[in-house]
Amino acid sequence: VSSIEHPAVSACVKYWQSFGIEMRIAPVDKEGIVILDELEKLIDENTRLVSVMAANNETGTIQPIDKIVTICHERRTLFHCDAVQAFGKIPLDITGIDLLSASSHKIGGPKGTGFLFVKRKTPFDTVSLGGGQELGVRSGTQNVPSIAGFAAAAKASFTDFGRHKILYDQTEKLWEMISGKLPEAKRNGHPENRLGGTLNIFIPNTPAEMLVQALDMAGICVSAGSACSSGAFEPSAVLMAMGLRRQEALCSFRVSAGWNTTVDEIETAADAIVRCAARVRF
């Protein structure tokens, strides 16, 4: 797995370590892209599965999945792609991908619904036992309304990728407005090869925890992209893996926009971020 995987993948693999499975972690560069040479070195004749996300949920950086697939298959290793963040937002070529997971709520569909694509003849064990539904792979009565809702959301998303371009441009506008007023701010992740709608920003000497609270009071919801453990505010593991220092990661936050976000809302958010950052900066 890469060093920036979502806990849905990394925690799962850590669980399997307790059964004697070895986990190897591929590093990423400062823009959050998997270092392919390092990934190659980690794969040997005993490697059974490689899992790398299509796009990161904190920075939006898009991975070179086609090149990773080639590396895996040249070494006869199965490849799983966590496409939850990317599905419905960018074109996805599943040629060569053995397993791919996606989630409905990321594209406006019902929550709690997702799918796992399994390429024909891919070795796969039963997820749950019981009634034998889903061709015996996952037992349990299907949630037909949510499945239909997911299908409708997917159809709408894949029919019009132009919305993603609009979202990308809106995110660029947000960044230009913020960086224009705060030239010391930096964008975390790849500046171009990324999803629209996801922007991760580092503002020096501006604690993200305090900024999130100040923006919340101003009616703007952003995320620090970090976890709170035992009352201690911890830096984002993704940003740390990208080489940010602890203090830099603690001064970084994520802004998300959606297909229904308006230009006025972008401008309002940018103005609030600039004002609140000035207020909480030390």
Side-chain angles (χ1 to χ4, degrees), residues 148-176:
F150 189 5
K155 183 177 181 180
S157 297
F158 280 92
T159 299
D160 182 16
F161 278 121
R163 293 190 301 178
H164 174 73
K165 178 62 169 62
I166 293 174
L167 194 55
Y168 187 97
D169 291 342
Q170 286 183 329
T171 310
E172 280 297 300
K173 179 179 176 64
L174 177 64
W175 169 240
E176 288 171 2

Side-chain angles (χ1 to χ4, degrees), residues 18 38 41 62 84 113 136 163 186 196 215:
S18 65
E38 296 298 323
K41 295 176 184 177
I62 299 172
V84 169
T113 305
R163 293 190 301 178
K186 297 180 180 179
L215 285 169

Side-chain angles (χ1 to χ4, degrees), residues 173-236:
K173 179 179 176 64
L174 177 64
W175 169 240
E176 288 171 2
M177 293 183 67
I178 294 172
S179 59
K181 296 290 183 62
L182 301 173
E184 69 276 18
K186 297 180 180 179
R187 177 160 55 184
N188 296 320
H190 199 284
E192 299 172 353
N193 190 31
R194 61 173 183 80
L195 295 175
T198 303
L199 184 61
N200 199 296
I201 302 173
F202 160 58
I203 304 178
N205 304 318
T206 308
E209 183 179 21
M210 297 176 64
L211 181 60
V212 168
Q213 294 174 355
L215 285 169
D216 183 55
M217 294 179 66
I220 305 296
C221 296
V222 300
S223 167
S226 308
C228 188
S229 176
S230 301
F233 190 69
E234 294 296 327
S236 160

Side-chain angles (χ1 to χ4, degrees), residues 5 26 30 61 69 105 126 128 145 156 159 184 191 209 243 245 265:
E5 293 303 305
K30 63 181 182 180
T61 297
V69 166
H105 74 283
T126 299
S128 59
T159 299
E184 69 276 18
E209 183 179 21
R245 295 191 294 271
E265 289 171 336

